[in-house]
């Protein structure tokens, strides 16, 4: 539970940094008032039976949220399930609609009718039978479409043993991977009605990709073999589209104002338009790269967030078997990634090459999804090779990930810094800070942004942007390692939380932060930052929550929303009591 420790440390930063009273100020509590209750041996979290986060789940199928140990209290005022969006009973501020058909039993929270097609976001407050608080959020994706996919080779013959990934590019983290049978077939089940990116890879470095709206009709993925080196493509020649081969039923639109650049446009075609080029690689080359951006008229057309979620893919492959790929969609990138004309900033995809590499292949593709009324395109500004090592200035190493403008000044309301800047530079993998913590929690807060008040939303975006900006200098310094980068990242958290105004948040927003980060917090070296107390800021929230509970106790109503509100505040209060840090 590492992240909440950092929030507590932020409270300490704020409390000790101000010599005059402010929003965080509160009287020092007595020792009896701050005594931490003894936590029971059974401290349950909720385990999902019938669904899973990150998976494609069957729509309208029963689900149970079970305690990991012990049983749940079924008393009124000890449990509540809130759902973002339609489908509930009545709202509690930004928490969402109270899920009236959730039935709480000792063995878990039962949702017999399940959920319809689409993403479902649930916030749950409950207590175990021994009084231990449970505050958790779940993001689940449901679908009802089973889509067959067949992988064929360049001659149209089915290929077995190929790994195929279906990725819900509109919803972060949901995907499925299957292997083709003797007929080259896989069937992806329970797909939601949103853009699905399909990518097939073979052990001999063949690649197939497309973006589709789920259908019961068989989708064909044709593996693209690594093409021979082209004598017409050279890194150092400004030659526009010379050396590129395009597969599209429409004429390619050329960008004349840049010598080397061009635009591959969907041009009213519902499907994937592709292009590829195969330049020679020299002995001195350390890295090859492609600079590009995604442009879609869906954004200015007002279709962001809809099923018309156009898709792109960019990849680099080498004759030595190395490969890297960037596949995403309009919704997956997030509205903050686009300017008013529907264009992203330029991205830079890199592939380090071995000494014996003789050529590479660049592949690009862009697709209209669901219809072809609003076009999208990939603009390629340049391809290039780099002689320098990873560490260097942007003059000597212009293709370094950190030389992208979005890496030097991370835009607000985006999470790309972790995947396009930090991870390509340090290559720490799934266990590193960038992917395990930074990207994960940035997307989690972004996904749940609407549950916060206006003040809370500003705090989220300010904090997320502060965390990214604080890592720019550590990232560009030569000698930065995965461990030193992680240390710098966690050291920045308390100040970013405090400077962004965590002490001024409404009490309900504080409870929401607990719900979002609970379960991934009090772990490892970050716990030392929690010091001995929550300081005045957290005491302020405990006092405010207690006062709210007192007001609720004076009411004589017997409504579901009353008991749900009581459950939420009671769980938050107990959480703060049980998880008070100590030296």
């Amino acid at each position: 539970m590492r992240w909440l420790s950092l929030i507590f440390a932020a409270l300490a930063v704020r409390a000790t940094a101000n010599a005059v009273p402010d929003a965080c100020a509160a009287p020092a509590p007595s020792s009896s008032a701050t005594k931490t209750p003894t936590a029971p041996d059974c401290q349950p979290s909720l385990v999902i039976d019938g669904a899973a986060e990150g998976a494609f789940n069957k729509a309208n199928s029963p689900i149970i949220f079970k305690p990991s140990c012990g049983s749940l209290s079924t008393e009124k005022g000890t449990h509540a399930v809130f759902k973002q969006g339609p489908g509930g009973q009545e709202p509690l501020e930004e928490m969402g609609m109270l899920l009236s058909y959730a039935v709480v039993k000792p063995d878990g929270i039962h949702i017999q009718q399940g959920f319809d097609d689409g993403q479902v976001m649930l916030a749950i407050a409950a207590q175990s039978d021994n009084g231990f608080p449970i505050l958790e959020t779940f993001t689940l994706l449901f679908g009802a479409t089973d889509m067959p996919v067949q992988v064929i080779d360049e001659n149209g013959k089915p290929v077995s043993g190929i790994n195929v990934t279906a990725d819900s590019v509109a919803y972060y983290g949901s995907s499925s991977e299957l292997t083709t049978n003797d007929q080259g077939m896989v069937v992806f089940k329970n797909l939601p009605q949103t853009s699905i990116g399909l990518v097939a890879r073979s052990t001999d470095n063949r690649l197939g990709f497309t973006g589709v709206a789920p259908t019961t009709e068989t989708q064909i993925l044709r593996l693209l073999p690594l093409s021979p080196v082209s004598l017409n493509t050279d890194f150092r020649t400004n030659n526009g589209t010379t050396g590129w081969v395009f597969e599209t039923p429409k004429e390619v639109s050329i960008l004349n104002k840049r010598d080397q650049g061009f635009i591959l446009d969907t041009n009213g075609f519902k499907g994937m338009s592709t292009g590829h080029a195969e330049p020679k690689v020299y002995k001195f080359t350390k890295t090859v790269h492609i600079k590009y951006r995604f442009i879609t008229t869906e954004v200015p057309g007002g279709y962001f967030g809809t099923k018309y979620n156009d898709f792109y893919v960019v990849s680099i492959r080498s004759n030595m078997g190395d490969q890297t790929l960037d596949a995403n969609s309009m919704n997956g990138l997030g509205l903050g990634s686009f300017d008013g004309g529907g264009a992203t900033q330029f991205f830079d995809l890199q592939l380090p090459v071995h000494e014996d590499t003789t050529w590479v292949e660049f592949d690009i593709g862009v697709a209209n999804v669901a219809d072809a009324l609003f076009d999208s395109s990939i603009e390629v500004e340049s391809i290039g090779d780099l002689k320098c090592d990873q560490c260097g200035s942007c003059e000597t190493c212009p293709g370094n990930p950190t030389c992208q403008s979005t890496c030097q000044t991370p835009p607000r309301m985006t999470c790309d810094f972790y995947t396009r800047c930090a991870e390509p530079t340090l290559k720490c993998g799934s266990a590193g800070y960038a992917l395990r913590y930074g990207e994960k929690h940035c997307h989690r807060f972004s996904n749940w942004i609407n549950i916060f008040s206006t003040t809370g939303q500003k705090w989220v975006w300010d904090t997320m942007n502060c965390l990214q900006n604080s890592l720019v200098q550590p990232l560009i310094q030569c000698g930065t390692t995965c461990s030193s980068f992680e240390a710098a990242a966690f050291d920045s958290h308390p100040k970013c939380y405090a400077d962004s105004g965590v002490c001024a948040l409404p009490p309900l927003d504080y409870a929401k932060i607990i719900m979002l980060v609970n379960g991934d917090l009090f772990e490892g070296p970050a716990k030392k930052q929690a010091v001995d107390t929550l300081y005045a800021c957290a005491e302020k929230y405990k006092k405010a929550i207690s006062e709210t509970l007192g007001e609720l106790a004076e009411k004589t109503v017997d409504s579901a929303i009353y008991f749900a509100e009581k459950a939420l505040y009671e769980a938050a209060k107990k959480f703060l009591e049980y998880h008070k840090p100590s030296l």
Side-chain angles (χ1 to χ4, degrees):
M1 296 184 177
R2 181 172 197 162
W3 279 53
L4 198 60
S5 296
L6 296 166
I7 295 175
F8 293 159
L11 310 181
V13 168
R14 178 62 184 266
T16 57
N18 293 279
V20 295
D22 62 8
C24 294
S30 65
S31 58
S32 61
T34 59
K35 183 178 180 181
T36 303
T38 302
D41 292 335
C42 172
Q43 302 178 27
S45 58
L46 294 177
V47 180
I48 313 173
D49 184 3
E53 290 190 295
F56 298 124
N57 300 296
K58 187 175 181 180
N60 306 119
S61 182
I63 302 171
I64 307 175
F65 293 88
K66 297 181 175 181
S68 58
C69 64
S71 58
L72 296 182
S73 170
T74 59
E75 293 182 13
K76 286 185 177 182
T78 63
H79 50 266
V81 181
F82 297 96
K83 176 180 178 291
Q84 286 289 291
Q89 183 178 11
E90 49 186 318
L92 174 60
E93 296 187 32
E94 301 87 7
M95 285 301 300
M97 305 298 291
L98 182 63
L99 200 65
S100 56
Y101 51 88
V103 178
V104 180
K105 300 179 180 180
D107 69 335
I109 299 171
H110 295 245
I111 304 175
Q112 189 64 28
Q113 67 191 63
F115 297 98
D116 295 336
D117 185 291
Q119 187 184 63
V120 172
M121 300 165 62
L122 300 175
I124 300 177
Q127 290 185 39
S128 63
D129 56 358
N130 59 16
F132 191 81
I134 300 172
L135 282 167
E136 297 191 47
T137 57
F138 298 90
T139 302
L140 301 168
L141 194 57
F142 295 90
T145 302
D146 295 347
M147 184 171 70
V149 177
Q150 185 178 41
V151 178
I152 60 174
D153 63 17
E154 61 270 30
N155 299 314
K157 295 182 178 180
V159 187
S160 63
I162 301 296
N163 291 331
V164 185
T165 300
D167 183 23
S168 175
V169 289
Y171 300 113
Y172 170 76
S174 293
S175 64
S176 176
E177 183 173 334
L178 300 173
T179 303
T180 58
N181 61 18
D182 291 341
Q183 289 75 46
M185 296 293 298
V186 294
V187 179
F188 289 103
K189 295 182 176 295
N190 309 324
L191 296 182
Q193 284 301 309
T194 185
S195 293
I196 299 294
L198 295 173
V199 177
R201 295 183 175 91
S202 69
T203 55
D204 59 358
N205 213 11
R206 289 178 292 172
L207 176 70
F209 52 79
T210 192
V212 299
T215 174
T216 55
E217 298 178 0
T218 300
Q219 301 298 299
I220 303 297
L221 266 182
R222 183 168 65 88
L223 290 176
L224 305 173
L226 193 70
S227 302
V229 62
S230 170
L231 299 179
N232 296 322
T233 306
D234 190 280
F235 288 122
R236 279 154 295 285
T237 302
N238 292 331
N239 57 6
T241 59
T242 302
W244 283 82
V245 177
F246 299 96
E247 296 185 16
T248 173
K250 299 287 185 178
E251 181 181 355
V252 176
S253 174
I254 306 301
L255 185 63
N256 295 319
K257 66 179 181 180
R258 290 190 177 92
D259 293 330
Q260 196 174 4
F262 64 86
I263 292 179
L264 176 63
D265 197 284
T266 53
N267 279 326
F269 171 58
K270 183 182 176 182
M272 179 72 72
S273 299
T274 64
H276 61 91
E278 298 77 29
K280 179 181 178 180
V281 172
Y282 298 90
K283 286 291 185 181
F284 56 73
T285 301
K286 303 291 186 181
T287 304
V288 297
H289 69 106
I290 179 171
K291 190 173 183 179
Y292 60 95
R293 65 176 177 173
F294 178 56
I295 308 170
T296 177
T297 59
E298 301 280 6
V299 169
Y303 288 95
F304 181 85
T306 70
K307 66 178 182 180
Y308 306 110
N309 185 29
D310 292 359
F311 172 88
Y312 76 89
V313 62
V314 177
S315 75
I316 313 174
R317 295 177 285 166
S318 81
N319 68 304
M320 296 299 293
D322 300 308
Q323 181 184 121
T324 187
L325 179 142
D326 172 32
N328 217 321
S329 69
M330 172 183 67
N331 294 339
L333 287 168
L335 188 58
S337 297
F338 295 92
D339 61 22
T344 67
Q345 298 193 48
F346 279 97
F347 304 132
D348 196 285
L349 185 67
Q350 291 192 356
L351 180 70
V353 295
H354 295 294
E355 183 179 353
D356 296 331
T357 301
T358 54
W359 84 91
V360 295
E361 177 169 335
F362 295 93
D363 293 286
I364 62 173
V366 62
N368 282 324
V369 176
D371 71 7
L373 295 179
F374 287 81
D375 285 314
S376 296
S377 58
I378 284 283
E379 178 180 347
V380 175
E381 181 177 271
S382 63
I383 57 175
D385 61 347
L386 304 172
K387 302 177 184 179
C388 60
D389 293 324
Q390 282 291 315
C391 190
S393 71
C394 291
E395 292 182 0
T396 59
C397 301
N400 276 358
T402 53
C403 295
Q404 301 175 77
S405 61
T406 52
C407 295
Q408 297 175 357
T409 307
R412 283 175 59 84
M413 302 171 65
T414 65
C415 300
D416 285 345
F417 177 84
Y418 300 104
T419 54
R420 297 191 184 278
C421 308
E423 181 57 22
T425 299
L426 297 175
K427 299 178 175 62
C428 301
S430 58
Y433 173 87
L435 300 185
R436 184 181 178 188
Y437 293 103
E439 182 195 29
K440 172 184 174 182
H441 286 281
C442 183
H443 278 289
R444 193 166 187 83
F445 273 89
S446 298
N447 206 25
W448 283 87
I449 191 67
N450 289 330
I451 72 169
F452 289 93
S453 67
T454 301
T455 301
Q457 290 186 25
K458 184 179 184 302
W459 178 84
V460 169
W461 294 130
D462 287 350
T463 301
M464 296 299 105
N465 194 239
C466 176
L467 293 174
Q468 294 175 39
N469 275 290
S470 69
L471 293 176
V472 171
Q473 286 302 315
L475 190 62
I476 65 177
Q477 291 174 356
C478 293
T480 297
T481 64
C482 294
S483 57
S484 66
F485 183 77
E486 179 171 321
F490 281 115
D491 285 346
S492 71
H493 283 217
K495 188 175 188 302
C496 284
Y497 294 152
D499 288 354
S500 299
V502 68
C503 290
L505 293 176
L508 190 55
D509 277 343
Y510 195 74
K512 295 165 187 175
I513 294 173
I514 294 173
M515 298 186 83
L516 283 175
V517 296
N518 186 15
D520 194 21
L521 302 177
F522 294 122
E523 298 176 358
K527 187 173 182 178
K528 65 182 175 61
Q529 297 188 5
V531 294
D532 185 47
T533 179
L534 300 186
Y535 276 78
C537 187
E539 290 297 333
K540 162 195 165 182
Y541 286 119
K542 288 168 63 178
K543 180 181 178 182
I545 289 172
S546 296
E547 289 175 351
T548 301
L549 285 170
E551 293 171 0
L552 289 172
E554 294 176 358
K555 295 182 178 180
T556 57
V557 297
D558 188 24
S559 69
I561 196 66
Y562 161 78
F563 288 109
E565 186 175 10
K566 181 176 183 295
L568 176 62
Y569 280 110
E570 187 67 45
K573 177 175 177 289
K574 288 192 173 185
F575 186 94
L576 290 174
E577 292 172 348
Y578 277 121
H579 292 92
K580 178 182 176 182
S582 60
L583 291 174

